[in-house]
Amino acid sequence: MTAATTTTYIGARVPRKEDPRLITGDGLFTDDVTLPGMVYVSLVRSPHAHARIRRIDTTAATEEPGVVAVLTGKELEATGALPVFITVPSMNGSKHMPITTDKARYAGDAVAAVVAESRDAAKRAADAVTVDYEPLPVVVDATKALEPGAPIVHEEMKSNLVFTYPVKGGDVDKAFRDADVKVKLRLVNQRLIPNAMEPRAAVAKFEAGELTLWSTTQIPHFVQLIVALNLGLSQNKVRVIAPEVGGGFGSKLQVYAEELIVGHLAKTLGRPVKWTEERREGYLATIHGRDHVSDVELAAKRDGTILGLRVRTVANMGAYLQAFAPGIPTILHVFVVPGAYRIPAFDYEMRGAYTNTTPVDAYRGAGRPESAYVIERAIDRLADEIGMDPAEVRRRNFIPADAFPFNTISGLTYDSGDYAPALERALAMADYKGFEKRRAEAKARGNYRGIGISSYVEICGLAPSKANSALGVGWGGYESARIRVHPTGAVQVFTGTSPHGQSHETSWAQIAADALGITPNDIEVRHGDTFESPGMGVGTFGSRSLAVGGIEVHKAAEKVREKVIQIGAHLLEASPDDMVVEGGKVFVKGVPDKAKNFGDISMAAYLANNLPEGMEPGLEATVYYDPPNFTFPFGTHIAEVEIDGETGAVELVNYSACDDCGRQINPMIVEGQLHGGITQGIGQALYEAAIYDDNGQLLSGSMMEYHVPTAENVPAFKLDHTMTLTTTNPLGVKGIGEAGTIGSTPAVANAVIDALSPLGIKHLDMPFTPEKVWRAIETAGGEGRR
Amino acid sequence: MITHPFTYRAPSTIEEAVAALGRSRDAKVIAGGHSLLPLMKLGLAQPDALVDLRRIASLRDIRAEADGTIVVGALATHRSIAEDRTIVSKLAALAEAAAAVGDPLVRARGTIGGSLAHADPAADEPAPVLAFDALIRAIGSKGKRDIRAGEYFKAAFETALAPDEIVAEIRFPAQTGRTGSAYVKFAHPASRFAVVGVAATVTLKGDGTVERAAIGVTGAADAPFRAAQAEKAITGTKGDAKAIAAAAAKAAEGITTLSDLVASSDYRRHLVTVYARRALERATQRAQG
Amino acid sequence: MGQAITVTINGAKQTKDVEPTQLLVELLRDTLGLTGTHVGCDTSQCGACTVLVDGRATKSCTILAVQTDGAEVVTVEGLAKNGELHPVQRAFASEHALQCGFCTPGLLITAVDFLARNPTPTDSEIRHAIEGNLCRCTGYHNIVNAVRSAAEMMTTTAQPKVAAGVKR
């Protein structure tokens, strides 16, 4: 590179380019797409969690006014099966048809589709479809699903075991033999419902041999690929558009049945087709998250030094494997369980089980919140056991800053890290030293007050592609970007990432602006349309967009910059080495008057009559980039709670976090990601749980029962950061989309247990609902009661 | 989305509304709609006709009568009740209950009349209506009648209203002497309904002893109820912390408490005693001025 | 059977034939194409569909279109006046109070109604006021900041704090 990129906009709080349309109602979400002649789909879903389908009678539904078609699974087999993109060793994959034909495997499994002239008509007709079910025994609990004699979800497999995934390092048996202290915990990481505020939707039209599909997706390119393959269309004739997408958190990281169904129907009926999820329907038919039960054993010395960690977990996969599901409890979970600590011996066995429940896949953090919960709860148990300050136990076991890059016992190589400063800053923000006084004051009020720490490490940006492949991940770890400078100097950035709230239009413009010496306002970032994309995009998930997609934008911009310099030097008759690209101009270093405007350069590139010898006309660049490694953000979160001694109600009174995601492109956006992530993690700790009865009925089946946190449930957050650049990419950026969720849940859990520890309570499972806490206090003797 | 068809009319007098109710087999009155429409969207209510009271402006009024009775029109929204100065000063428990309904958007449209007619066992306002011994004035084809709060709530979603009767207003008797009231609530985190809500009114004699106390409890049982044993226990005491605690401990006596995902029967029973104590403490403090 | 209603929407009086079953949000989105108002749930919990009906922030999924006969309705599309954004809109942008933007129209409307009644709110009053609007992205932190900032703008007619592209 002839000149270093300056950072005028990288690191600045640039206002979002997305906002003007979103605050005026101009943003176009999938359900906003209405086309002439459109018909509407409603799906008939099984009320039974497990039932053989004897017969489906569609006669009455067909006779309902406005009905266009009523279709069973057999009539929709042309949609093909739903894909699974990850294969782990020993995996028993399930066949997953958009509409099941033989039996319903969870309450919500679709058994028929109705197409009608209006949404109301479709829904009325769906209610008129009668299905003769033969109910079968149901299994909801993953551990029970693996016991002999359990009802089998997929009979052809003879067992509900999806996989056994062992990861070992060091001599764990010896660690436990040598240990002064052993602590044991059974941890339930409960099932959650993602609850992106925008329900899913899909709209398809088929015109002139071309299928256009608008979808609420995080991965339009994967959807395009599967729709083309399944529906027998050439990929160039399938255009998938993810317009505004109203949050995803993993729940839209899928190729869903409804996308294939509306695509197929648009193609066969020749009319545009829309499906929009109702929220209660989504609670059944959109993936859930988490749902692990772990037996955790930690071996340590009396001085707090950890010697070994042994974990046995069963992950509930639900009734079918979804797109990324096999990788969540394995690749994204097991390896990072050792967290921020030097652990010499590690033995983890993860088993996945099919059950008669909604499929489980990625939910914000996707495996890593479960990891942080395992290690951070175990550390606190150890601290309690040896009577040491939990902060001190963490300090003693942290991987030291000079040990990076660090090869973990689980086989990862952490890129960079400096864990202690984040902990110390968080402790200071939280006034950790003053806490015991606050505990005593609360006690005087009859309440229990606790403080909890979580020092997390997480993985972002699965890469490189070869490593992905070795792990069984069936896609590349790259991303793609194209920058096109038009003759007038107008700049478009096309990205394969597909945001749904992450502010890519702003951050990517900041990155490109610095390389091109222009402002973010000069740059338009386009995304979420496979016909406008640079090529194959992977998508937005796993906090990968910046560390992979943002780097592509940077690299493409650097390529364009290089050409700008060459053309500028040629026109100014100066050496490329002396050129400065800044302030919308290219000029000779020290001679700002000897300059060409950015637009002059782009025009010259297209006039092409005065370019350096051998240079191609035009001014654009396309980059595919495969990062050499993951990135590993980290940080410490501290929660403080006060528990009503009489009712068990937990109030989160203080929250402090110091995070390190490497270089921040836009601190305002980083903070926003943290606020939201932290709140979702708090939701898990205090409020959220998908609860099934033994018959597989989802009891927490609507927003009336399942509590998504409100503004009154969370405090204002105190945030700070440290900045440890990654060595994985040239910008030094890591990722922040999931860190808040990963860090917060164990912090709140540790705070609640800390509050109750004077009563001798060692552990409770999440969520810490008032009754659960009250019962624990009662059982323990409730000394704080009046 | 509401898929079940119905006719709609919005008459301008209550008499017309009563007549309209009589004309359909399964007609429902709609006021703020915040109880009924959610049920209709879920298909749990499928009326064939809706009679909307919104054009009957007189039903919105909140006024004090010469004898001190405070009359709250059935169409008064929770928000207008919570913000009404007379109610805030004279009927604090009612203002607090109205302020605790649902969320600000629900309070902006939902009405007290709708809430009482719907009679969700977890609704807030029944608690102060019981504690204040209010009268529910209903108008039907046979004319108007006043129903005592204690006789109004029959069971979950069941009231003393006849099918063709409409709640017109709620009449709160004048609060005399040194009286204080309060409503406290343990809310369902998601639905915001009362898991337990307790309204208490306490009237003190000149010497500070409790002359009279009334405790209305909602959310805990199949229907809102008066905690008679607790009321009896507090009456005649000094209204000190000990007396209040002893009385509150009896607040769930004889009651079969509900059980759901958020609170088991035992826990609800416990919450009733805790919230009865808190309501009595606050009401007594207010009575003491 | 349809019924004719006359309703003023974002300042324009219109007469529309509506079915009694039609919810206000369905009239806005399906009939009038005002898709800025969103539907996020089916149990009146999320507040994404909030609009002003006669000045009151109202969940448009929990009111029938026929009930708005004679009413004045303002949606997110009607907040800006003469091309000038409402202070609440400006504050949401300057405080980064939105991410995916799906819940934003409802929150903007709720804030407009709230600030009309409480021009100088405390943070805890703001949190209480937006309790009927769920947001899954922001953790509400910046929404509280935005409502406070809008209140300040509206009482002092100040400009938003952050100018375009200012370095930290």
Side-chain angles (χ1 to χ4, degrees):
Chain A
M1 210 47 48
T2 42
T5 298
T6 53
T7 57
T8 304
Y9 294 103
I10 289 177
R13 294 176 176 269
V14 174
R16 291 211 321 166
K17 294 168 72 73
E18 292 86 346
D19 289 348
R21 60 178 189 268
L22 293 171
I23 56 175
T24 51
D26 287 344
L28 183 89
F29 291 83
T30 300
D31 186 52
D32 302 343
V33 176
T34 300
L35 302 167
M38 193 149 86
V39 291
Y40 298 80
V41 174
S42 182
L43 296 179
V44 180
R45 298 188 183 277
S46 169
H48 300 284
H50 199 191
R52 201 165 307 286
I53 299 163
R54 288 202 192 106
R55 190 168 162 271
I56 300 176
D57 186 350
T58 59
T59 325
T62 310
E63 285 164 7
E64 282 281 324
V67 169
V68 174
V70 183
L71 302 155
T72 64
K74 288 205 170 61
E75 293 156 308
L76 281 169
E77 274 180 341
T79 57
L82 293 165
V84 179
F85 295 123
I86 297 178
T87 307
V88 297
S90 83
M91 186 173 106
N92 286 311
S94 56
K95 187 180 180 193
H96 189 184
M97 294 301 289
I99 304 281
T100 185
T101 50
D102 54 346
K103 62 177 189 173
R105 293 177 178 82
Y106 68 98
D109 211 352
V111 295
V114 174
V115 189
E117 300 287 345
S118 70
R119 283 183 305 158
D120 301 28
K123 197 174 178 195
R124 267 194 291 266
D127 289 342
V129 173
T130 49
V131 184
D132 181 9
Y133 292 103
E134 177 194 342
L136 299 170
V138 170
V139 64
V140 169
D141 179 279
T143 305
K144 286 186 186 153
L146 296 180
E147 287 169 1
I152 302 295
V153 179
H154 297 274
E155 280 135 11
E156 66 278 15
M157 291 175 204
K158 317 283 184 217
S159 147
N160 292 317
L161 182 67
V162 184
F163 53 74
T164 301
Y165 197 85
V167 175
K168 280 186 189 178
D171 188 342
V172 166
D173 292 338
K174 181 174 184 303
F176 277 85
R177 279 197 306 273
D178 295 348
D180 302 330
V181 191
K182 296 167 210 168
V183 294
K184 258 180 134 164
L185 275 167
R186 166 160 277 212
L187 299 176
V188 177
N189 203 298
Q190 82 274 24
R191 177 182 287 237
L192 303 178
I193 300 178
N195 274 301
M197 289 316 301
E198 179 201 26
R200 289 193 295 118
V203 176
K205 74 165 180 180
F206 190 72
E207 274 175 16
E210 192 170 294
L211 182 75
T212 307
L213 175 67
W214 289 263
S215 181
T216 54
T217 184
Q218 301 174 223
I219 46 169
H221 290 88
F222 282 97
V223 174
Q224 180 205 29
L225 181 70
I226 298 303
V227 166
L229 291 174
N230 280 23
L231 302 187
L233 292 164
S234 181
Q235 197 175 348
N236 60 312
K237 290 296 177 191
V238 178
R239 177 182 192 179
V240 175
I241 300 171
E244 304 293 346
V245 176
F249 316 112
S251 70
K252 295 169 181 171
L253 170 59
Q254 290 295 331
V255 179
Y256 274 111
E258 295 83 2
E259 290 164 322
L260 290 170
I261 290 168
V262 298
H264 169 79
L265 290 172
K267 186 175 153 222
T268 51
L269 297 174
R271 294 178 68 176
V273 181
K274 184 192 278 193
W275 171 81
T276 305
E277 174 184 272
E278 293 188 86
R279 178 62 65 181
R280 280 167 308 142
E281 181 184 22
Y283 270 35
L284 302 173
T286 294
I287 60 104
H288 292 174
R290 317 271 194 266
D291 208 341
H292 289 190
V293 178
S294 298
D295 286 303
V296 182
E297 292 174 274
L298 190 69
K301 292 201 273 192
R302 179 83 31 211
D303 69 359
T305 309
I306 299 169
L307 299 175
L309 178 63
R310 186 188 283 138
V311 188
R312 297 288 177 269
T313 298
V314 179
N316 192 333
M317 308 301 291
Y320 300 94
L321 294 184
Q322 292 278 162
F324 294 77
I328 308 302
T330 53
I331 301 161
L332 285 169
H333 168 69
V334 174
F335 294 104
V336 80
V337 167
Y341 311 104
R342 181 135 61 175
I343 295 180
F346 179 64
D347 175 7
Y348 198 126
E349 186 187 88
M350 168 62 79
R351 288 184 300 158
Y354 289 115
T355 61
N356 295 118
T357 61
T358 293
V360 176
D361 201 321
Y363 169 59
R364 200 168 191 170
R368 290 150 290 161
E370 297 91 317
S371 308
Y373 191 64
V374 165
I375 188 66
E376 292 303 294
R377 278 296 300 127
I379 296 255
D380 262 39
R381 267 298 290 119
L382 172 63
D384 181 62
E385 197 67 25
I386 61 178
M388 188 179 284
D389 182 343
E392 183 56 26
V393 177
R394 286 176 170 81
R395 282 186 200 107
R396 290 188 180 196
N397 289 285
F398 273 154
I399 299 162
D402 60 10
F404 292 89
F406 180 80
N407 294 321
T408 72
I409 194 68
S410 59
L412 296 171
T413 303
Y414 288 177
D415 52 350
S416 64
D418 191 359
Y419 302 147
L423 171 67
E424 302 307 331
R425 286 200 198 192
L427 292 171
M429 271 194 287
D431 183 23
Y432 191 72
K433 284 192 186 128
F435 172 73
E436 287 305 328
K437 184 162 169 275
R438 300 196 290 280
R439 193 199 295 268
E441 287 163 358
K443 194 172 179 202
R445 288 189 287 269
N447 292 344
Y448 304 99
R449 200 160 169 121
I451 196 162
I453 302 172
S454 156
S455 294
Y456 73 90
V457 173
E458 68 128 332
I459 317 175
C460 299
L462 279 184
S465 300
K466 274 187 182 166
N468 283 9
S469 175
L471 288 167
V473 177
W475 83 90
Y478 58 85
E479 197 45 82
S480 60
R482 169 182 299 160
I483 295 187
R484 174 176 299 156
V485 185
H486 293 268
T488 56
V491 179
Q492 285 178 308
V493 173
F494 300 90
T495 173
T497 59
S498 194
H500 34 283
Q502 294 86 348
S503 323
H504 293 176
E505 291 172 39
T506 308
S507 302
W508 286 196
Q510 288 176 253
I511 291 169
D514 274 354
L516 299 177
I518 53 179
T519 77
N521 287 337
D522 300 326
I523 297 167
E524 180 193 26
V525 177
R526 300 188 65 95
H527 54 76
D529 181 342
T530 58
F531 273 18
E532 285 193 353
S533 78
M536 182 63 192
V538 174
T540 289
F541 54 90
S543 305
R544 70 186 298 278
S545 287
L546 177 58
V548 189
I551 300 305
E552 256 82 356
V553 171
H554 172 72
K555 287 185 171 281
E558 293 274 281
K559 274 192 172 179
V560 170
R561 170 195 177 86
E562 184 59 30
K563 195 160 176 182
V564 166
I565 286 172
Q566 295 295 338
I567 295 171
H570 177 75
L571 295 178
L572 294 167
E573 297 175 344
S575 161
D577 295 341
D578 293 336
M579 302 307 295
V580 179
V581 184
E582 209 177 276
K585 288 180 165 47
V586 183
F587 58 88
V588 179
K589 198 186 224 165
V591 198
D593 289 347
K594 201 169 176 194
K596 286 282 176 190
N597 286 329
F598 188 74
D600 298 338
I601 303 285
S602 56
M603 192 56 81
Y606 288 94
L607 287 175
N609 54 12
N610 186 16
L611 292 176
E613 196 56 40
M615 181 182 274
E616 284 177 14
L619 193 55
E620 65 173 83
T622 301
V623 167
Y624 280 77
Y625 167 71
D626 205 8
N629 190 7
F630 312 114
T631 67
F632 297 89
F634 60 89
T636 291
H637 287 220
I638 300 181
E640 189 168 333
V641 300
E642 185 160 331
I643 297 172
D644 184 321
E646 289 183 304
T647 65
V650 179
E651 187 188 356
L652 181 61
V653 288
N654 255 314
Y655 199 95
S656 310
C658 183
D659 295 275
D660 192 321
C661 59
R663 188 182 308 287
Q664 300 188 359
I665 301 300
N666 185 328
M668 176 185 86
I669 291 168
V670 169
E671 289 160 12
Q673 289 296 309
L674 281 166
H675 296 151
I678 290 167
T679 301
Q680 281 178 323
I682 292 167
Q684 170 161 27
L686 297 184
Y687 303 108
E688 299 182 35
I691 298 169
Y692 283 97
D693 69 11
D694 291 342
N695 294 319
Q697 296 298 316
L698 183 65
L699 300 178
S700 55
S702 84
M703 279 190 168
M704 295 279 281
E705 291 87 21
Y706 188 98
H707 182 53
V708 173
T710 69
E712 289 212 295
N713 299 141
V714 289
F717 304 112
K718 293 179 214 155
L719 300 185
D720 193 2
H721 67 273
T722 55
M723 197 184 286
T724 310
L725 302 187
T726 180
T727 49
T728 302
N729 61 60
L731 290 180
V733 297
K734 291 189 170 180
I736 200 65
E738 295 160 296
T741 314
I742 295 164
S744 59
T745 305
V748 178
N750 284 338
V752 170
I753 304 306
D754 178 58
L756 299 173
S757 63
L759 296 171
I761 291 166
K762 304 292 181 195
H763 182 71
L764 287 178
D765 285 323
M766 301 183 292
F768 304 108
T769 56
E771 175 160 4
K772 190 184 287 177
V773 174
W774 172 74
R775 283 193 182 280
I777 294 170
E778 288 287 296
T779 309
E783 64 171 59
R785 289 171 63 210
R786 294 195 193 185
Chain B
M1 194 190 323
I2 296 172
T3 52
H4 188 79
F6 57 85
T7 61
Y8 170 89
R9 58 168 63 216
S12 47
T13 69
I14 197 157
E15 290 73 20
E16 287 173 59
V18 168
L21 264 188
R23 276 198 292 272
S24 293
R25 212 153 37 92
D26 193 14
K28 284 269 188 196
V29 175
I30 185 165
H34 275 59
S35 299
L36 184 59
L37 291 177
L39 290 181
M40 290 171 68
K41 283 160 66 179
L42 302 183
L44 298 174
Q46 301 193 327
D48 61 1
L50 285 190
V51 180
D52 193 342
L53 305 183
R54 69 188 182 87
R55 290 218 169 91
I56 311 172
S58 60
L59 296 185
R60 278 193 207 114
D61 292 348
I62 298 171
R63 63 179 197 275
E65 293 188 341
D67 67 351
T69 301
I70 296 170
V71 180
V72 180
L75 290 191
T77 62
H78 309 300
R79 174 159 129 184
S80 62
I81 293 168
E83 291 175 354
D84 184 89
R85 281 188 191 176
T86 309
I87 292 176
V88 169
S89 68
K90 306 272 189 197
L91 304 172
L94 176 63
E96 287 172 344
V101 174
D103 61 53
L105 305 166
V106 171
R107 294 195 287 277
R109 293 210 73 82
T111 65
I112 187 169
S115 173
L116 294 185
H118 182 59
D120 190 308
D124 294 287
E125 282 153 349
V129 165
L130 279 166
F132 285 120
D133 258 330
L135 297 173
I136 290 103
R137 176 161 292 179
I139 296 181
S141 56
K142 294 185 187 122
K144 75 178 176 196
R145 67 174 177 132
D146 289 342
I147 308 168
R148 292 192 50 188
E151 287 151 16
Y152 177 83
F153 300 102
K154 296 295 186 193
F157 308 105
E158 270 181 48
T159 69
L161 284 180
D164 71 341
E165 279 185 319
I166 295 171
V167 176
E169 57 193 36
I170 300 90
R171 305 175 62 81
F172 293 86
Q175 302 298 303
T176 53
R178 297 171 67 194
T179 297
S181 73
Y183 177 76
V184 288
K185 172 188 188 179
F186 184 98
H188 187 295
S191 73
R192 312 302 299 166
F193 274 100
V195 174
V196 165
V198 180
T201 69
V202 172
T203 305
L204 301 177
K205 289 185 193 163
D207 65 359
T209 56
V210 176
E211 181 182 333
R212 183 187 165 275
I215 301 167
V217 182
T218 189
D222 190 40
F225 62 90
R226 284 275 293 268
Q229 296 299 319
E231 292 174 3
K232 213 164 121 190
I234 191 78
T235 307
T237 70
K238 286 188 188 137
D240 55 316
K242 209 174 143 194
I244 286 175
K250 298 174 188 285
E253 263 181 27
I255 300 300
T256 306
T257 41
L258 298 172
S259 184
D260 59 25
L261 280 182
V262 163
S264 68
S265 174
D266 284 355
Y267 183 55
R268 259 199 177 73
R269 178 173 297 279
H270 168 70
L271 288 177
V272 170
T273 64
V274 172
Y275 278 76
R277 201 200 73 235
R278 292 178 182 182
L280 281 171
E281 279 173 355
R282 198 177 290 181
T284 307
Q285 271 170 18
R286 286 175 178 162
Q288 288 162 344
Chain C
M1 204 189 321
Q3 267 172 259
I5 62 165
T6 300
V7 53
T8 303
I9 295 176
N10 296 332
K13 200 169 189 175
Q14 356 201 345
T15 300
K16 289 281 161 195
D17 208 42
V18 299
E19 293 295 324
T21 52
Q22 202 173 7
L23 300 166
L24 175 59
V25 68
E26 292 165 349
L27 171 71
L28 295 172
R29 288 182 56 81
D30 303 341
T31 308
L32 301 173
L34 292 169
T35 54
T37 300
H38 300 145
V39 178
C41 77
D42 44 13
T43 50
S44 307
Q45 242 73 39
C46 80
C49 65
T50 306
V51 300
L52 292 176
V53 177
D54 291 331
R56 274 185 293 177
T58 298
K59 290 176 179 175
S60 64
C61 74
T62 313
I63 180 171
L64 300 170
V66 284
Q67 294 183 285
T68 62
D69 188 17
E72 190 157 329
V73 173
V74 177
T75 70
V76 66
E77 289 93 344
L79 282 183
K81 291 276 180 295
N82 307 320
E84 178 128 348
L85 293 176
H86 190 284
V88 171
Q89 290 173 304
R90 283 189 279 146
F92 266 61
S94 62
E95 297 292 337
H96 187 33
L98 60 147
Q99 290 177 27
C100 81
F102 190 80
C103 71
T104 307
L107 272 152
L108 292 169
I109 297 282
T110 295
V112 167
D113 178 13
F114 171 62
L115 292 177
R117 290 177 300 119
N118 185 349
T120 55
T122 63
D123 282 7
S124 92
E125 286 169 341
I126 295 170
R127 285 184 184 273
H128 193 56
I130 61 173
E131 198 189 12
N133 294 82
L134 297 177
C135 170
R136 196 63 156 164
C137 291
T138 64
Y140 307 101
H141 184 105
N142 287 345
I143 295 176
V144 174
N145 289 347
V147 176
R148 190 194 320 110
S149 161
E152 285 161 9
M153 274 191 242
M154 289 163 76
T155 48
T156 65
T157 66
Q159 294 300 306
K161 282 185 279 189
V162 179
V166 174
K167 189 162 166 74
R168 178 168 47 133

